[in-house]
């Protein structure tokens, strides 16, 4: 039988159609070879040309996986666009993989190690991030609607028959709060359903390759010993996290439910201390609420949750948390539906007076009647989230001893606040001129000292693979990614609360008076968002200046030499210099620019948290000078925040339906959703949990065919483009050695060194990327890996990990040649298989695969 080699091409984030991946060209009449499905289904599939014959020496096959993320153009576009609203969860989940010192074998990670403590802090932060969105929904349902919206005019602004909350039994006591509590619980139910459905979406994959048999079962092949893990991606359970996802989802949903219930219960019990039957219900309810949170905080760091052990049951702890949550919710609703007790002031006294919308001059209308305690809960949660981010950055950078600074700040800050409020018995009173911000800002500054400690290096501190390939942000990558996710979550929450407040105020509200008051942290978040937007504009301007300088330098280099050039040549040089400048801007300056912006926003959120804890509002509308400017900036920021979720969802819809937007934004989205949901179970699904096992099954299945099977291949050329190179690398780490010796890896548009290696050093850093080259080294000494790159490709660079790097000319020439009349195109990130360098290397590799692969009869 003729020797045959299969080239299996895996596309990138742009979801290139199968006919383009295969290089099929149709004539003007629309006739010609078409792609045909040889394996797979409608969502993912393997395609070959319709003209492919069984005796072709080189067969090209395309793996299409783009419809898992940004490729579908169906009714599911809307659902997937809504996934972009979960981007905060995505960034927080990705932070878990940005830790610099993850051990190569996950079973060797200890809770007390640097990576173990950092993982626990990240999972704890993810738990608090769920609480952030739950608190926002609770603020809408409990504070704005069920507590402050007491007028019929206000309730009519809501869609649906909600006027009953303003009259009769529902308006008395805390009965309306029970109805408002249904909103966050409904949101959690939707998130839980989405998490379950999306796991079904990503788990539709073929079975794992059959394990190798021992020599006693098969004398043809020697037994393979269990490999020693040198990269976490070699872990067999890395892409099988159903059990972990279920257990983590139970914790997140239960903690969100008890946090939502704690807001109205805490407010009611504070205003009206319980006695009698209310006290009998309150005690076990509070105990259940606290128990769920304590169990979750401890559980997120324990091995039974963090190990990816496949489709395992939830376990006794998950059942216990679920039962406690049910008891806590039952007690919470009971307390809210019981009448007021005789111990305190009637709850109606704390609510806004009826008729404020019609007559703002009524007594008490202009006072702050928001739900007592809600502003403080939001402000304290945000402050401790900042301290958590600082702790993540310090431990990941300098080890567990660096945790002392943020931990000390976290303990001293509430003590200082209690001292300032005079709640510490036996301690002298605080000085009269001392303010809250004088305690908060220094406390966070003391915590941030840990970020400036020298970095202690592990595997991530090894010699970089080249220029601009060191660890991103000095080892603080996990904190930076999680911080951006936190800022998006805060922005979503503040925007939602402000938008609902503005709608409830209604068009009849007199100018300058808002009967519905948004939470205090929302106002300061609007001010911070305005300044952060200005800083972002400044960063973009700085990037534009750098791009202009780089383009000028590249243009000067292209036109150097002293020879006269035509206007056409100069125009072509300008075009080429533009792409080369973009290549250098992304590869040399993008990480640094992001780090500078992260530093500015870190200082900004420190002051925002301090301002939120002061319990003071900016100057009212109409003020002059700095107070008036602050009020205007805060109002502008809140307005922008109100439309932010819709803008993000609209952008997400464009990402899935517009090719240009998808190529620009899709790379960031696909980087985030590549990683499994090991830290935040409510994040969008990981497409790699389906793509990697499918690709592995396909390659192993083809190479395992017998000699006389007409589908048999002597070797496989694994050809990955852009994000497809990452999928191929993840699959190669999982593939047994016997199959890797019949594979050659061609990567192009590769982001290993400048993006993945810097942000995720534990997987693609210098030491771990050399592991991939070692696994692809044949016994004869060949490193079966060739990487192609262009200096006009903004996402493709050399790797320098032991493979063969081949630069590809782009464009091929400045002038038409060979009878062509059009200029050779500038392909930048596309069209690698059409390049002469690629075709020459592929022909050489095909010959090597045919000569190096022994017959199966030899073994």
């Amino acid at each position: 039988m003729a020797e045959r080699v299969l080239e299996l091409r895996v596309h990138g984030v742009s979801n290139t159609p199968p006919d383009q991946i295969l290089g099929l060209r149709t004539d003007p009449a629309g006739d010609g070879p078409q792609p045909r499905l040889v394996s797979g289904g409608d969502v993912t599939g393997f395609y070959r040309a319709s003209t492919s014959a069984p005796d072709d020496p080189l067969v090209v096959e395309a793996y299409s996986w783009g419809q898992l993320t940004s490729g579908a153009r169906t009714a599911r576009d809307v659902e997937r666009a809504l996934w972009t609203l979960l981007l905060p969860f995505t960034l927080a989940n990705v932070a878990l993989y940005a830790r610099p010192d993850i051990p190569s074998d996950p079973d060797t990670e200890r809770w007390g190690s640097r990576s173990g403590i950092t993982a626990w802090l990240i999972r704890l932060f993810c738990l608090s991030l769920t609480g952030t969105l739950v608190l926002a929904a609770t603020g809408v349902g409990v504070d704005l609607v069920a507590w402050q919206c007491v007028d019929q005019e206000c309730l009519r602004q809501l869609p649906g028959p909600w006027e009953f909350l303003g009259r009769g039994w529902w308006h008395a006591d805390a009965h309306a709060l029970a109805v408002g509590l249904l909103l966050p619980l409904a949101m959690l139910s939707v998130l839980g359903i989405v998490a379950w459905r999306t796991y079904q979406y990503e788990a539709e994959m073929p079975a794992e390759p059959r394990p190798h048999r021992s020599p006693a079962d098969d004398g043809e092949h020697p037994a393979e010993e269990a490999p020693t893990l040198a990269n976490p991606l070699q872990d067999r359970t890395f892409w099988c996290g159903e059990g972990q996802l279920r257990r983590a989802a139970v914790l997140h949903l239960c903690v969100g439910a008890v946090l939502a219930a704690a807001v109205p219960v805490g407010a009611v019990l504070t205003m009206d201390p319980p006695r009698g039957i209310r006290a009998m219900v309150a005690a076990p309810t509070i105990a259940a609420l606290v128990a769920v949170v304590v169990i979750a905080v401890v559980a997120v760091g324990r091995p039974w949750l963090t190990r990816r052990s496949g489709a395992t049951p939830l376990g006794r702890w998950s059942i216990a948390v679920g039962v406690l949550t049910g008891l806590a919710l039952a007690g919470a609703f009971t307390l809210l539906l019981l009448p007021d007790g005789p111990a305190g002031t009637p709850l109606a006294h704390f609510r806004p007076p009826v008729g404020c919308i019609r007559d703002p001059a009524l007594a008490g209308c202009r006072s702050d009647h928001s739900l007592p305690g809600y502003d403080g809960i939001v402000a304290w949660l945000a402050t401790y989230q900042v301290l958590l981010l600082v702790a993540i950055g310090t431990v990941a950078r300098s080890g567990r001893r660096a945790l002392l600074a943020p931990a000390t700040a976290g303990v001293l800050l509430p003590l200082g606040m209690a001292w300032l409020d005079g709640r510490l018995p036996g301690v002298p009173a605080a000085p009269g001129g001392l303010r809250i911000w004088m305690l908060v800002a220094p406390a966070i500054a003391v915590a941030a000292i840990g970020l400036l400690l020298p970095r202690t290096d592990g595997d991530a501190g090894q010699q970089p693979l080249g220029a601009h390939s060191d660890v991103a942000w000095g080892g603080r990558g996990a904190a930076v990614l999680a911080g951006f996710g936190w800022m998006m979550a805060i922005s979503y929450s503040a925007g939602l609360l402000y938008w609902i407040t503005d709608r409830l105020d209604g068009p009849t509200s007199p100018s300058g008076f808002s009967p519905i008051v948004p939470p205090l942290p929302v106002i300061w978040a609007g001010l911070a968002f305005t300044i952060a937007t200005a800083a972002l504009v400044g960063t973009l301007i700085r990037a534009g200046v750098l791009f202009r300088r780089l383009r000028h330098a590249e243009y000067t280099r292209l036109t150097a030499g002293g020879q006269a050039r035509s206007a056409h040549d100069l125009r072509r040089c300008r075009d080429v210099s533009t792409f080369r400048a973009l290549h250098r801007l992304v590869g040399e300056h993008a990480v640094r620019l992001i780090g500078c912006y992260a530093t500015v926003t870190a200082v900004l959120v420190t002051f925002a948290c301090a301002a939120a804890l002061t319990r003071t509002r900016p100057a009212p509308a109409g003020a002059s000078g700095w107070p008036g400017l602050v009020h205007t900036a805060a109002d502008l920021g809140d307005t922008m925040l109100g439309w932010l979720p819709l803008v993000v969802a609209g952008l997400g819809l464009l990402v899935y339906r517009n090719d240009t937007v998808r190529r620009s934004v899709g790379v960031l989205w696909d980087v985030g959703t590549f990683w499994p949901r090991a830290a935040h179970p409510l994040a969008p699904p990981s497409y790699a949990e389906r793509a990697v096992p499918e690709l592995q099954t396909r390659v192993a299945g083809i190479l395992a065919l017998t000699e006389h099977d007409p589908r048999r291949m002597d070797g496989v050329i694994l050809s990955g483009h852009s994000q497809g190179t990452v999928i191929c690398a993840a699959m190669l780490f999982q593939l047994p050695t016997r199959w890797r010796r019949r594979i050659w890896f061609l990567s192009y548009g590769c982001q290993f060194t400048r993006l993945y290696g810097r942000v995720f050093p534990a997987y693609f850093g210098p030491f771990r990327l050399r592991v991939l080259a070692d696994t692809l080294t044949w016994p004869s000494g060949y490193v079966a890996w060739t990487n192609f790159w262009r200096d006009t490709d903004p996402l493709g660079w050399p790797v320098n990990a032991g493979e063969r790097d081949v630069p590809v000319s782009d464009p091929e020439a400045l002038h038409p040649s060979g009878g062509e009349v059009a200029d050779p195109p500038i392909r930048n990130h596309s069209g690698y298989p059409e390049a002469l360098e690629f075709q020459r290397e592929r022909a050489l590799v095909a010959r090597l695969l045919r000569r190096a692969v022994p017959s199966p009869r030899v073994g």
Side-chain angles (χ1 to χ4, degrees):
M1 187 175 179
E3 295 176 329
R4 305 173 68 207
V5 173
L6 173 71
E7 182 192 358
L8 182 53
R9 295 180 179 177
V10 184
H11 65 79
V13 298
S14 60
N15 188 35
T16 309
D19 56 339
Q20 295 184 22
I21 302 176
L22 297 172
L24 304 180
R25 293 181 175 86
T26 58
D27 55 26
D31 299 328
Q34 300 293 326
R36 61 182 176 89
L37 182 68
V38 294
S39 180
D42 296 334
V43 179
T44 59
F46 296 84
Y47 295 82
R48 294 183 186 177
S50 57
T51 56
S52 177
D55 56 347
D56 288 343
L58 181 61
V59 179
V60 180
E61 185 172 294
Y63 175 47
S64 178
W65 57 269
Q67 293 196 61
L68 292 174
T69 55
S70 57
R73 289 175 173 84
T74 64
R76 295 181 64 187
D77 283 356
V78 177
E79 178 184 349
R80 289 171 177 171
L82 293 177
W83 287 352
T84 58
L85 296 177
L86 302 179
L87 187 58
F89 296 164
T90 302
L91 293 173
N93 181 73
V94 171
L96 183 72
Y97 301 95
R99 294 172 291 151
D101 293 302
I102 302 174
S104 56
D105 188 350
D107 290 334
T108 63
E109 184 176 70
R110 296 295 176 261
W111 185 91
S113 64
R114 176 197 301 196
S115 62
I117 293 178
T118 308
W120 177 66
L121 293 173
I122 292 174
R123 289 189 171 97
L124 194 59
F125 174 79
C126 290
L127 201 63
S128 72
L129 206 61
T130 300
T132 298
L133 295 187
V134 169
L135 278 182
T138 307
V140 173
V142 175
D143 182 19
L144 298 182
V145 175
W147 184 258
Q148 296 190 53
C149 194
V150 295
D151 284 342
Q152 296 295 325
E153 291 83 356
C154 175
L155 292 170
R156 289 194 186 101
Q157 305 299 324
L158 298 172
W162 296 104
E163 290 87 349
F164 72 93
L165 292 176
R167 59 177 179 264
W169 182 84
W170 290 103
H171 184 67
D173 304 330
H175 302 158
L177 299 184
V179 179
L181 182 58
L182 295 177
L183 178 62
L185 296 181
M187 184 198 71
L188 286 172
S189 300
V190 171
L191 288 177
I193 294 172
V194 170
W196 181 83
R197 286 189 60 195
T198 53
Y199 188 82
Q200 305 306 312
Y201 146 92
E202 67 194 9
E204 294 174 2
M205 53 191 174
E208 297 180 3
R210 182 176 300 176
H212 304 295
R213 291 176 291 180
S214 63
D217 297 327
D218 186 357
E220 188 176 343
H221 302 292
E224 254 185 54
E225 297 182 358
T228 301
L229 301 186
N231 190 303
L233 290 173
Q234 292 176 316
D235 180 18
R236 295 294 185 187
T237 65
F238 192 87
W239 305 106
C240 306
E242 180 181 1
Q244 180 195 43
L245 180 66
R246 290 178 177 177
R247 293 188 295 270
V250 168
L251 291 180
H252 278 251
L253 295 175
C254 290
V255 169
V258 300
L259 185 59
V263 172
V265 168
V268 169
L269 295 182
T270 300
M271 294 180 292
D272 186 18
R275 289 184 181 179
I277 188 173
R278 297 178 76 247
M280 295 174 60
V281 177
T285 300
I286 295 174
L289 294 173
V290 174
V292 170
V293 176
V294 171
I295 292 175
V297 169
V298 175
V300 292
R302 307 314 300 162
W304 68 269
L305 175 76
T306 57
R307 294 292 183 263
R308 301 180 64 78
S309 52
T312 56
L314 296 179
R316 292 174 296 176
W317 284 103
S318 300
I319 297 175
V321 169
V323 171
L324 287 173
T325 302
L327 294 176
L329 291 177
F333 279 103
T334 302
L335 286 172
L336 297 178
L337 295 177
L338 285 174
D340 289 351
T345 306
L347 298 181
H349 176 77
F350 298 95
R351 302 183 71 179
V354 177
C356 285
I357 292 182
R358 295 188 303 271
D359 186 7
L362 290 175
C365 281
R366 296 187 178 272
S367 301
D368 184 0
H369 290 282
S370 58
L371 186 68
Y374 179 74
D375 293 2
I377 293 175
V378 174
W380 278 106
L381 177 63
T383 302
Y384 271 90
Q385 284 176 325
V386 172
L387 292 176
L388 263 178
L389 290 172
V390 173
I392 291 169
T394 56
V395 176
R397 174 178 169 84
S398 305
R400 59 186 180 182
R401 294 182 179 179
L403 184 62
L404 180 62
T408 302
V411 172
L412 294 180
L413 183 57
L415 294 178
M417 297 286 288
W419 173 54
L420 189 64
D421 294 338
R423 295 197 301 266
L424 289 181
V427 177
L434 190 63
R435 296 291 182 267
I436 292 178
W437 66 268
M438 297 180 183
L439 297 176
V440 180
I444 299 180
V446 168
I449 290 176
L451 296 173
L452 305 178
L453 295 176
R455 180 159 62 97
T456 56
D457 296 327
D459 289 343
Q462 294 198 2
Q463 184 68 27
L465 294 175
H468 308 288
S469 62
D470 55 333
V471 179
W473 307 305
R476 309 179 189 94
V480 172
L481 293 175
F484 281 127
W486 175 76
M487 287 191 297
M488 288 205 68
I490 292 294
S491 300
Y492 284 174
S493 301
L496 175 66
L497 289 167
Y498 182 83
W499 191 84
I500 296 296
T501 300
D502 192 51
R503 301 287 84 76
L504 292 178
D505 282 338
T508 60
S509 299
S511 177
F513 173 70
S514 298
I516 308 300
V517 181
L520 176 61
V522 171
I523 300 176
W524 291 112
L527 177 62
F529 186 76
T530 301
I531 302 175
T533 303
L536 179 61
V537 172
T539 303
L540 294 177
I541 293 175
R542 173 60 179 164
V545 172
L546 285 173
F547 175 73
R548 187 180 182 89
R549 291 178 182 175
L550 293 172
R551 185 174 60 181
H552 177 73
E554 292 295 330
Y555 180 78
T556 302
R557 188 165 64 88
L558 285 171
T559 56
Q563 58 181 350
R565 296 183 182 273
S566 64
H568 173 270
D569 290 344
L570 295 177
R571 184 172 62 253
R572 289 280 287 171
C573 287
R574 282 194 297 271
D575 295 338
V576 175
S577 63
T578 298
F579 286 100
R580 290 187 178 180
L582 185 60
H583 170 83
R584 292 185 58 188
L585 178 67
V586 175
E588 300 175 8
H589 301 280
V591 171
R592 181 172 56 84
L593 290 173
I594 294 174
C596 293
Y597 181 69
T599 303
V600 173
T601 54
V603 176
L604 182 61
V605 298
T606 300
F607 288 107
C609 290
L613 287 175
T614 58
R615 300 189 290 268
T616 58
R617 296 180 180 270
S624 59
W626 280 106
L629 181 61
V630 169
H631 177 84
T632 302
D635 190 60
L636 176 62
D638 285 327
T639 303
M640 292 189 294
L641 285 174
W643 293 100
L644 181 64
L646 295 179
V647 171
V648 172
L651 181 61
L653 188 61
L654 286 177
V655 165
Y656 295 117
R657 299 192 66 86
N658 185 278
D659 291 339
T660 303
V661 179
R662 182 168 61 249
R663 289 189 179 97
S664 303
V665 183
V667 60
L668 300 177
W669 180 252
D670 283 2
V671 167
T673 54
F674 169 78
W675 301 101
R677 294 178 284 186
H680 206 303
L682 306 180
S686 166
Y687 60 88
E689 288 208 21
R690 178 171 176 179
V692 172
E694 273 191 349
L695 189 62
Q696 177 186 359
T697 302
R698 180 64 176 170
V699 172
I702 287 178
L703 293 177
L705 294 173
T706 61
E707 180 182 10
H708 301 290
D709 195 306
R711 300 168 298 172
R712 167 182 163 76
M713 297 290 172
D714 292 282
V716 172
I717 301 175
L718 195 60
S719 180
H721 173 233
S722 188
Q723 188 69 14
T725 63
V726 184
I727 296 176
C728 291
M731 187 277 294
L732 288 170
F733 276 123
Q734 295 277 320
L735 205 63
T737 304
R738 63 183 300 195
W739 303 133
R740 286 200 301 265
R741 291 174 181 172
R742 296 171 61 184
I743 292 177
W744 196 288
F745 182 28
L746 299 183
S747 59
Y748 39 95
C750 182
Q751 306 145 23
F752 283 158
T753 52
R754 302 296 175 90
L755 176 59
Y756 276 89
R758 303 187 70 181
V759 181
F760 309 106
Y763 299 89
F764 299 98
F767 178 75
R768 302 293 168 82
L769 202 54
R770 291 189 182 100
V771 173
L772 178 60
D774 293 339
T775 60
L776 291 172
T777 301
W778 291 356
S780 58
Y782 283 115
V783 180
W785 180 9
T786 306
N787 179 63
F788 302 89
W789 66 281
R790 297 187 179 115
D791 57 5
T792 57
D793 185 354
L795 298 177
W797 302 278
V799 176
N800 302 321
E803 85 300 342
R804 170 176 159 82
D805 277 308
V806 177
V808 178
S809 301
D810 188 42
E812 298 175 358
L814 293 178
H815 300 279
S817 59
E820 296 287 341
V821 295
D823 291 325
I826 303 175
R827 299 187 182 274
N828 57 84
H829 191 55
S830 61
Y832 277 93
E834 286 78 23
L836 294 176
E837 295 88 347
F838 183 93
Q839 296 177 2
R840 188 183 304 118
E841 184 76 9
R842 185 183 65 172
L844 175 62
V845 166
R847 288 197 298 270
L848 287 174
L849 285 172
R850 295 190 186 100
R851 295 172 183 174
V853 177
S855 170
R857 291 171 296 181
V858 180

